[in-house]
Amino acid sequence: MLWFKCGEILGGLALAVLCLAIVLGGYFFSVEHTPSENTSDLCSMAEASEDNIEKFRKENNMAFIVGYTGETGSALVKQLAKDKIFKKVVLIGRRQVKLPPEIGPEFEQKQVDFDNLDKYADVFKGIDVGFCCLGTTRGKSGTAGFVKVDFDYVLKSAELAKAGGCKQFHALSSQGADKDSRLLYTKTKGQMEEALKVIHFPRLSIYRPAVLMVNREESRPLESIARFFLVPIAKMFPTAITTPMDVMVKAMVNNVVSPSEKTVELLDNKAIHHISGISVKCNK
Ligand SMILES: NC(=O)c1ccc[n+]([C@@H]2O[C@H](COP(=O)([O-])OP(=O)(O)OC[C@H]3O[C@@H](n4cnc5c(N)ncnc54)[C@H](OP(=O)(O)O)[C@@H]3O)[C@@H](O)[C@H]2O)c1
């Protein structure tokens, strides 16, 4: 009798898992195969990236990165060290770190107090391109701490950058960002995007990656487990809900060097994949 009941429960569970897999598979499939309207433009940017890098390099621009000690920030530092598109890169953070040996002398660390960022206005002066990879989690910093980093610090950095003459500001947001969302994370990201638009940079690029696929230095066990399950999904549906870190930072570089008439550009996950020229073949 007990055996019979267990069999029934297991059968029900298996059916529920199968239904969930079908629904999720259908969702990922539809996200993966929904065409983006500007695919060919984005693919052209990836194709022209070598020429664009060459031209951009000759302009001798300077850049800063806030959040350079994080996963995206440090990957971006390495990508910039490889592509050498800036004559100088100022790394702005709350602490200094030992940089890897491949990072050249054009990278300079500046330690600041983000609660008193106005005092460090000079650090942002005369820099052509700003990258913002700042961010924390509610689990790590609490609700108020999360909003402080992901909204206040981002905005303050952007304001000082604009006042200092920044021509391009590239900010990391997230897939699903929506100022009217009921979820704190996506709502804060959406509000941050809206506030950045009001600063009126000559060029503002907002990136909305999905789950960033990277082996985190910091221990976040739940994220690691989630990423483990995302690996097969990323293989089947590469642009649906994952963004490999090399794709993320190469997309930022290819975008910076591409001439653009747009004052505000919003790059969703698919666009990030296309511009990177790494993971998605544009002629597909
Ligand atoms: N991880 C994902 O899957 C994912 C997906 C979509 C979007 N995003 C967004 O992408 C951005 C970068 O993500 P990530 O995973 O690269 O972030 P991360 O590894 O957690 O790095 C965050 C950066 O922000 C700095 N930071 C955090 N709290 C700070 C504070 N209180 N004061 C000053 N600096 C502080 C960190 O400095 P310290 O090193 O000193 O802590 C670090 O440089 C974030 O905005 C995130 O929301 C992430």
Side-chain angles (χ1 to χ4, degrees):
M1 184 69 179
L2 188 64
W3 177 86
F4 181 71
K5 282 236 155 119
C6 275
E8 249 180 26
I9 292 169
L10 285 178
L13 265 179
L15 192 64
V17 170
L18 183 68
C19 288
L20 186 68
I22 291 171
V23 170
L24 285 178
Y27 171 71
F28 296 148
F29 184 87
S30 80
V31 176
E32 184 66 32
H33 294 284
T34 305
S36 347
E37 48 189 49
N38 50 353
T39 302
S40 63
D41 291 346
L42 299 169
C43 291
S44 309
M45 284 162 74
E47 277 161 26
S49 63
E50 287 304 313
D51 288 346
N52 288 338
I53 283 177
E54 204 60 45
K55 282 184 206 145
F56 190 88
R57 210 175 264 144
K58 290 186 185 134
E59 291 174 15
N60 285 324
N61 289 299
M62 296 209 287
F64 72 78
I65 307 176
V66 277
Y68 75 98
T69 51
E71 294 295 344
T72 315
S74 57
L76 181 62
V77 169
K78 285 184 191 149
Q79 189 65 49
L80 292 181
K82 206 166 142 195
D83 289 333
K84 298 192 188 313
I85 58 171
F86 294 109
K87 75 166 179 195
K88 183 176 173 188
V89 183
V90 181
L91 305 172
I92 304 170
R94 62 174 163 178
R95 64 193 172 104
Q96 298 212 356
V97 293
K98 192 170 181 331
L99 296 172
E102 70 266 27
I103 307 306
E106 71 273 25
F107 291 81
E108 183 192 350
Q109 299 192 65
K110 293 273 186 193
Q111 193 169 344
V112 301
D113 171 4
F114 279 89
D115 285 325
N116 292 292
L117 212 49
D118 279 323
K119 288 188 185 159
Y120 301 87
D122 277 358
V123 173
F124 294 83
K125 222 172 240 168
I127 303 191
D128 310 280
V129 178
F131 296 98
C132 181
C133 305
L134 279 173
T136 186
T137 60
R138 188 157 63 166
K140 203 169 152 185
S141 307
T143 300
F146 168 71
V147 175
K148 193 163 81 161
V149 176
D150 285 62
F151 186 89
D152 298 346
Y153 290 175
V154 173
L155 256 290
K156 195 68 208 162
S157 305
E159 283 166 7
L160 292 175
K162 175 74 191 318
C166 177
K167 297 172 207 145
Q168 292 192 29
F169 193 79
H170 295 256
L172 271 205
S173 178
S174 172
Q175 192 174 51
D178 176 2
K179 68 177 174 31
D180 300 317
S181 169
R182 280 199 249 169
L183 301 173
L184 177 76
Y185 183 77
T186 42
K187 181 179 171 172
T188 307
K189 294 294 188 191
Q191 290 177 337
M192 177 269 284
E193 291 182 358
E194 293 308 310
L196 285 181
K197 288 177 193 168
V198 177
I199 295 177
H200 298 299
F201 283 99
R203 181 176 175 188
L204 168 66
S205 298
I206 294 169
Y207 301 81
R208 287 182 173 175
V211 180
L212 293 166
M213 300 298 275
V214 63
N215 291 323
R216 267 190 186 278
E217 272 192 20
E218 182 192 342
S219 164
R220 292 188 192 169
L222 282 181
E223 271 193 40
S224 307
I225 295 167
R227 274 195 195 92
F228 176 78
F229 286 106
L230 285 174
V231 169
I233 297 172
K235 285 226 157 68
M236 281 186 282
F237 311 108
T239 67
I241 54 162
T242 51
T243 318
M245 192 54 91
D246 57 340
V247 166
M248 182 67 243
V249 295
K250 192 60 186 163
M252 291 172 98
V253 168
N254 285 354
N255 192 35
V256 166
V257 298
S258 299
S260 173
E261 300 289 299
K262 289 188 195 151
T263 49
V264 178
E265 50 195 1
L266 212 58
L267 297 141
D268 65 12
N269 194 39
K270 208 164 273 194
I272 291 169
H273 278 259
H274 287 319
I275 297 186
S276 78
I278 299 175
S279 70
V280 173
K281 289 201 178 76
C282 282
N283 54 5
K284 263 189 184 168

